[in-house]
Amino acid sequence: DTGVSQDPRHKITKRGQNVTFRCDPISEHNRLYWYRQTLGQGPEFLTYFQNEAQLEKSRLLSDRFSAERPKGSFSTLEIQRTEQGDSAMYLCASSVNGAPNTEAFFGQGTRLTVV
Amino acid sequence: SQKIEQNSEALNIQEGKTATLTCNYTNYSPAYLQWYRQDPGRGPVFLLLIRENEKEKRKERLKVTFDTTLKQSLFHITASQPADSATYLCALPPGGGADGLTFGKGTHLIIQP
């Protein structure tokens, strides 16, 4: 399967713990996005990478959130001191080089539950 | 920022009929608009992209229209099938040179056999 891969699929954590999610985009895609989706809502943009450079961050991305893409390939999203409001589906997407208005390929998401 | 409105209530359509979903947006007119399908517990899957200079786009049983005067896109599924049941999301670029997509809440479509 050469699609976007996310790990883990599900994560249950206690409030106050740190969690880290991983995304492996399609190999030839240099653009990588993170979105968050809560029940009954559409995905909300969090941040965007072009290669290893983080070019945009949403105001939704508080100081407790950090994302990296160290070698321009896979990316990680870390949430520190998790809160119950962080419970959501975290989606990663990638798209082809130099094409800002083509389709985004999404992974299956990581479902985070903070208890 | 862009605001997108999609029917938040579920749309029930009888199998074989045409399903029509609406996406309305406010503020500026985007350079393009995309439609995605999302099944429960899965990530969205791209269906169609239509650019601002295109009135209509087709792909198999799918058709999308884009009316920049009305600030509206319509998404049609002809000869609908129960397998078409899913949530359909409208997505636009956020504007101002920013990247990423702004999504609507989606419309839950149910095709009844």
Side-chain angles (χ1 to χ4, degrees), chain B residues 30-50:
Chain B
Y32 63 90
L33 185 149
Q34 300 185 5
W35 284 88
Y36 288 78
R37 168 182 173 145
Q38 188 172 28
D39 291 286
R42 320 267 301 198
V45 175
F46 172 82
L47 297 175
L48 281 167
L49 179 151
I50 187 165

Side-chain angles (χ1 to χ4, degrees), chain B residues 74-85:
Chain B
L74 298 178
F75 176 81
H76 307 271
I77 305 176
T78 59
S80 59
Q81 306 166 0
D84 295 326
S85 299

